[in-house]
Amino acid sequence: MEGPQSVSLVLLLSLLLPLGPPWHTAAQRCPQICVCDNSRRHVACRHQNLTEVPHAIPEMTQRLDLQGNMLKVIPPAAFQDLPYLTHLDLQHCQVELVAEGAFRGLGRLLFLNLASNRLSVLPQEALDGLGSLRRLELEKNMLEELRPGTFGALGALSTLNLAHNALVYLPAMAFQGLMRARWLQLAHNALSVLAPEALAGLPALRRLSLHHNELQALPGPALSQAGSLARLELGHNPFTYAGEEDGLALPGLRELMLDHGALQALDPRAFAHCPRLHTLDLRGNQLDTLPPLQGPGQLRRLWLQGNPLWCGCQARPLLEWLARARVRSDAACRGPLRLRGEALDALRPSDLRCPGDTAEEDEEEELAAPGRPRSPPGAPDGEDGAQPCPRPCVCVSESRHSGCEGRGLQTVPRGFPNDTQLLDLRHNHFPVVPREAFPGLSHLVSLHLQHCGISGLEAGALAGLGSLLYLYLSDNQLSGLSAAALGGAPSLGYLYLERNHFLQVPGAALRALPGLFSLHLQDNALGSLAPGDLAGVQALRWLYLSGNRITQVSPGALGSARELEKLHLDRNQLREVPTEALEGLPALLELQLSGNPLRALQDGAFQPVGQSLQHLFLNSSGLEQVAPGAFSGLGPRLRSLHLQKNQLQALPSLSGLSQLELVDLSGNPFLCDCQLLPLHRWLTGLNLHVGATCAAPPSALGQRVKAATAVFEACPGWAARKAKRTPGARRARMKGRRRGTDKVGKQRGRP
């Protein structure tokens, strides 16, 4: 067969034959312990007690199921021979470590399941190489912390599941890089604190699941960073109150779930900055009344089932608002007795009577008011078999939460259920907390005493509170604390003392708290930090001293807190960086110095924490000068640098900060002349938005420093720099380097 016909036949055969390699060849047969589906290019090696990824899996495999094995460690480049993988299932594999670069080479992977393993940490580059990944399952592991940058390589990710882990804190920029993430699942953790910028960098996020955590208050500033949220799930958190001051501002929010928490009060403007809110779920809380809500004009569904609503005259505004705003609700009356079980929206305003309207009503109020005792005043309930609860309070057995918030109490009430875990006594008036003020509450975890006018705690005030983890004493009149006062709560981890009258750190009292994790002393009147102030707090991780009058942090003042990770000294009176005081803090990750009158940064200002620091805040500090070596030593780990709103006209090159993910230079009056050329060069090679603009000369006013090329072209060295970038110059340099290397090699080879 010759001539044109033979050529045509060859071309036809080439079109009919597959271009890529076959599904599996004789040299790449399906491993015996696995099941291979040739038609769908799936391989399953489930529950085979494998301790490593099996070899000889066909190269063209697209779906690989290894769940139920004993891999324990995923080594670097573990799947490099499977470049066509789109789905990888590693759940229930007892994985304890994912090495850096474990998934490099899997550029086509869309789905990765690492759920139900034993991961306690994810290394910084563990997920590198997964640029196409759409869904990542990490639920039911033992993750205790998230390091900023962990998810930085997952630019295409849509869903991230971190539910059922052991997270207690979300740091700033925790999810940096997830530009397309739409659903973030963080439910069933132990989250109690979200950094204000924890959710920054999530422009596409539509759904956030934070239910079943330990959030004590609505973290409005953090949540508001996720400005595109449409659904927010915050149920099963121990909130007791939500108000406008919580700062929740989500213009696109449609659904808000606050169900099964501990809400006892809701401010009318709590959701004033959520104008598109359509559905609000408040089921299973402790609300006995609810004001008409102001702001969410599109609200159409309000779920209130399971709240002890009292359908007296105080419920009339709510009933009228529901009708006027056309809001559908499932609210039902808990009392008075004649209305118990009635749907609120089926009643008329005249049905909602005030006490004293009739003799019958008075009798019903006496017999049936929720949370009100049938025993004599001052005595606890319980004689008739009911759960004990002090007269003016509400005790909910299902959630083990008790509260007397805003009841005008003059003394600390007694007689709460012994299994109470959260006790809310805010907005009362107890000048002194007496000895053994909380008898029988050995299971108490969280105690709220904010806004109570407290000026002192007597010795033994917290006696018997061996399980207490959170103590809120903010917004009181305290100027001191004694070790004897706190001695009954040795497990205390979080101590909130903001907005009191402390002139110095209560160091003696802190010695009674060996497990203290977080200390909040913001907005007091502290003048300095001296050696010994933090003696005995070896476990301290977070120290908040913002908004005081601190002029000096002495060398050694922080030395006892060697595990310190967060130090907030912003809004004080520091005139220089307390460099010597930073000695001995090898774990420090975040340093807040913004709002101090620093003016200048000296060489080596942050050298002591250079190997650990990840986030540095120097904004609004009046900075006019930064020495060339001010940031020396910070290169290895620094992720974010905040220098905005200062008075900087010049800034040295920051080329040593090679791992930066966020730089903010906005609001500085940069003088774009030859002195700024090194910064311009550095910005030119940086793929980040930094906000640096020229304030002078007039020809460059308002231009970005990075783009103001015309200003810098006349500078000495500009032409040489430009020449270095040309291909010919690069080839010449490479050739010169090779010659030099050859010459050195010959010299080393001589006897």
Side-chain angles (χ1 to χ4, degrees), residues 74-77 97-104 122-128 147:
I74 310 297
L97 175 65
V98 176
E100 292 187 359
F103 303 108
R104 285 187 184 137
L122 283 173
Q124 201 76 28
E125 299 179 9
L127 302 172
D128 277 11
R147 299 174 180 174

Side-chain angles (χ1 to χ4, degrees), residues 59-361:
E59 180 185 8
M60 298 295 289
T61 299
Q62 292 182 347
R63 293 176 179 251
L64 177 58
D65 186 350
L66 294 175
Q67 65 175 292
N69 286 288
M70 302 171 63
L71 300 180
K72 292 193 176 180
V73 175
I74 310 297
F79 305 93
Q80 63 179 354
D81 296 329
L82 301 171
Y84 297 98
L85 274 186
T86 60
H87 292 69
L88 177 57
D89 196 335
L90 296 169
Q91 61 180 313
H92 294 286
C93 283
Q94 303 180 33
V95 177
E96 299 174 359
L97 175 65
V98 176
E100 292 187 359
F103 303 108
R104 285 187 184 137
L106 298 185
R108 292 180 172 87
L109 198 68
L110 302 176
F111 173 79
L112 174 59
N113 194 341
L114 282 164
S116 301
N117 282 293
R118 299 176 181 175
L119 292 168
S120 60
V121 68
L122 283 173
Q124 201 76 28
E125 299 179 9
L127 302 172
D128 277 11
L130 299 176
S132 298
L133 197 68
R134 300 289 193 276
R135 180 176 166 188
L136 175 59
E137 296 288 335
L138 285 165
E139 65 175 330
K140 295 183 180 177
N141 277 279
M142 297 183 291
L143 293 170
E144 297 178 356
E145 65 172 331
L146 297 178
R147 299 174 180 174
T150 298
F151 307 107
L154 308 182
L157 197 71
S158 177
T159 300
L160 174 58
N161 189 352
L162 287 160
H164 292 277
N165 277 280
L167 300 171
V168 297
Y169 169 67
L170 289 184
M173 314 305 295
F175 305 102
Q176 178 80 357
L178 300 184
M179 301 297 291
R180 298 184 183 178
R182 295 181 64 82
W183 185 10
L184 177 57
Q185 295 166 270
L186 291 163
H188 293 278
N189 278 279
L191 288 168
S192 60
V193 179
L194 275 62
E197 294 184 342
L199 301 173
L202 293 168
L205 195 67
R206 301 283 291 169
R207 181 176 179 183
L208 176 60
S209 303
L210 276 166
H211 54 87
H212 290 89
N213 276 286
E214 296 296 330
L215 294 169
Q216 305 281 317
L218 194 65
L223 297 172
S224 300
Q225 292 283 328
S228 297
L229 274 181
R231 180 182 174 93
L232 176 57
E233 300 161 9
L234 286 166
H236 296 271
N237 278 283
F239 301 139
T240 56
Y241 170 80
E244 186 177 14
E245 62 269 28
D246 290 323
L248 186 66
L250 291 168
L253 190 67
R254 300 289 289 167
E255 298 176 86
L256 176 58
M257 312 301 163
L258 288 168
D259 55 296
H260 299 93
L263 280 173
Q264 297 176 16
L266 201 63
D267 183 78
R269 293 184 56 80
F271 313 114
H273 304 289
C274 302
R276 298 190 62 202
L277 189 63
H278 178 274
T279 301
L280 177 59
D281 189 348
L282 295 170
R283 292 173 299 157
N285 280 285
Q286 301 173 28
L287 296 166
D288 57 8
T289 186
L290 187 71
L293 298 179
Q294 302 172 16
Q298 298 186 21
L299 191 69
R300 293 296 176 266
R301 295 175 182 171
L302 176 62
W303 306 133
L304 287 166
Q305 187 179 32
N307 282 280
L309 284 176
W310 186 255
C311 292
C313 61
Q314 70 269 30
R316 288 175 188 169
L318 173 62
L319 178 61
E320 293 167 352
W321 171 71
L322 289 173
R324 184 174 64 254
R326 299 181 181 180
V327 177
R328 179 184 172 191
S329 175
D330 62 351
C333 301
R334 180 73 61 88
L337 188 60
R338 65 184 180 83
L339 295 178
R340 180 170 295 172
E342 293 286 339
L344 178 63
D345 59 7
L347 301 175
R348 296 169 300 179
S350 59
D351 295 325
L352 307 178
R353 303 172 187 168
C354 291
D357 282 359
T358 66
E360 177 188 5
E361 190 73 15

Side-chain angles (χ1 to χ4, degrees), residues 576-634:
E576 61 182 7
V577 176
T579 305
E580 293 184 47
L582 299 177
E583 295 280 358
L585 299 179
L588 194 67
L589 301 175
E590 181 177 313
L591 178 58
Q592 270 270 16
L593 289 169
S594 55
N596 282 282
L598 298 177
R599 295 189 179 275
L601 296 181
Q602 304 302 322
D603 286 327
F606 308 98
Q607 191 80 41
V609 292
Q611 297 302 308
S612 63
L613 198 65
Q614 295 184 7
H615 306 284
L616 178 56
F617 296 82
L618 294 163
N619 47 295
S620 305
S621 296
L623 285 174
E624 299 174 355
Q625 183 179 356
V626 175
F631 301 113
S632 61
L634 283 176

